[in-house]
Amino acid sequence: MTAHGQDLMAAGTARNSSSSGRIYALSIDSSGRRDTGFDDDGVLLLPRTTMQARFTTTGRVYAVLKRAGAARGEFILARYSRRGTLDQNFSGDGRVRVTGCASGSNLRVIVNPSGLPVVYCQRSGSPSAMLVRRFTSTGVLDRTFSDDGTAFVDDCCQIAIDAEGRLLVASAGFGTDLTRLNRAGSLDTDFSNDGKATIDGFVIGGSYDAIFTAPGRIYVVDDRLETLAVQA
C-alpha cells in the first residue's frame, strides 16, 4: 500500500468470475471512496500476464509482465499513468524489456523514494547471484547506479529500499546475511564497516519472509513470523 497525498493506493488480485486471478490497482481518496481521478473509476485491471505491481507516491503504477512469446527469463516492465494508460514518457511506449534473468525465475519490482523502479531476479548463468537493475524515469538504465545500471548481489530472499534510497538485501546462510548498497549501487561501508552483516541463529528462507525499514532500524521477519531488529 502506498500513500499519495491523502489518497491510498494498493494492488491486489481480483476474485470475481470474469477477472479471477488478475492483478488490479486500486486508488482510494481521502473520503474513503474510489478515486475517480485514477482510471476514471479508481480501479485499473492489469493485463493477464501481470505478475506484480507497485505504486509510486505520484500515483503511477509499475507492473511486471511476462513477455508473450519470449524466451523464459525475459520480462516487460510497464508503467501506467494515473489515467490508467501506458505512460508514453517511459521508454516511448510505456514498456521496457528486461533480460538476463534465469529461466524459471521471477522478476520483482520495488520503487525508491524518488519514484525510480528497481527490478531484481536470479541472474542467468554462473556464478549464482541476484541481478538488480535501476531505471530512470524515462525507462533507460540508470547509469548513476553501479556505473551501468546493473548490480549483482548474493542470492537473496528479500530486497527493500530505505527512505534514503539505499538497497537492503536479506539472504539465507548459516544465519541471516544482510547487505546494504548505497544509492550509487556499491557496498555501503557505513553499514557494519563493509556493507555486510551476518545475524547468527536467525534464518530466513520461507514464504513469509519480509524486510522493511524505519528510521534507524532494519526489520527482518522470518517464516515463523519472528522479527529481528538491526540498527541501520
Side-chain angles (χ1 to χ4, degrees):
M1 183 175 290
T2 303
H4 170 227
Q6 298 299 313
D7 297 344
L8 292 177
M9 294 161 286
T13 304
R15 296 296 184 191
N16 62 56
S17 58
S18 62
S19 306
S20 181
R22 291 179 65 177
I23 293 177
Y24 66 89
L26 169 68
S27 181
I28 303 295
D29 66 22
S30 58
S31 68
R33 298 183 177 88
R34 288 186 183 183
D35 175 13
T36 56
F38 178 73
D39 195 36
D40 295 330
D41 62 356
V43 179
L44 171 62
L45 193 62
L46 295 164
R48 292 189 180 277
T49 55
T50 303
M51 303 173 65
Q52 185 205 12
R54 295 277 190 181
F55 272 101
T56 72
T57 55
T58 58
R60 292 169 173 161
V61 178
Y62 283 105
V64 172
L65 289 73
K66 294 179 182 177
R67 185 167 176 252
R72 297 182 69 184
E74 293 189 15
F75 301 90
I76 293 293
L77 176 66
R79 189 173 77 192
Y80 293 85
S81 69
R82 281 186 55 80
R83 296 190 303 273
T85 58
L86 285 167
D87 188 345
Q88 307 298 311
N89 293 318
F90 185 71
S91 193
D93 61 358
R95 298 156 56 95
V96 64
R97 185 166 65 107
V98 181
T99 62
C101 299
S103 177
S105 69
N106 290 326
L107 184 72
R108 297 293 180 187
V109 61
I110 49 181
V111 180
N112 77 4
S114 300
L116 302 182
V118 177
V119 298
Y120 62 97
C121 63
Q122 187 173 19
R123 64 168 285 181
S124 61
S126 59
S128 180
M130 297 298 290
L131 177 152
V132 182
R133 286 185 172 143
R134 189 170 76 196
F135 291 89
T136 68
S137 60
T138 59
V140 298
L141 283 171
D142 184 353
R143 299 191 181 279
T144 66
F145 179 76
S146 193
D147 294 331
D148 60 359
T150 302
F152 296 96
V153 296
D154 294 338
D155 280 343
C156 64
C157 300
Q158 295 292 334
I159 291 182
I161 298 178
D162 69 11
E164 297 184 28
R166 297 173 300 197
L167 202 68
L168 300 164
V169 181
S171 307
F174 293 105
T176 293
D177 297 327
L178 297 177
T179 302
R180 189 168 78 186
L181 304 184
N182 58 31
R183 287 181 60 87
S186 57
L187 287 170
D188 186 352
T189 55
D190 289 334
F191 179 70
S192 191
N193 296 322
D194 61 357
K196 296 185 176 185
T198 298
I199 312 301
D200 294 327
F202 190 89
V203 180
I204 61 174
S207 57
Y208 294 102
D209 295 335
I211 180 171
F212 56 97
T213 67
R217 291 288 186 273
I218 300 168
Y219 295 92
V220 183
V221 182
D222 71 4
D223 203 41
R224 298 165 296 178
L225 301 183
E226 294 182 358
T227 303
L228 171 72
V230 178
Q231 186 171 351

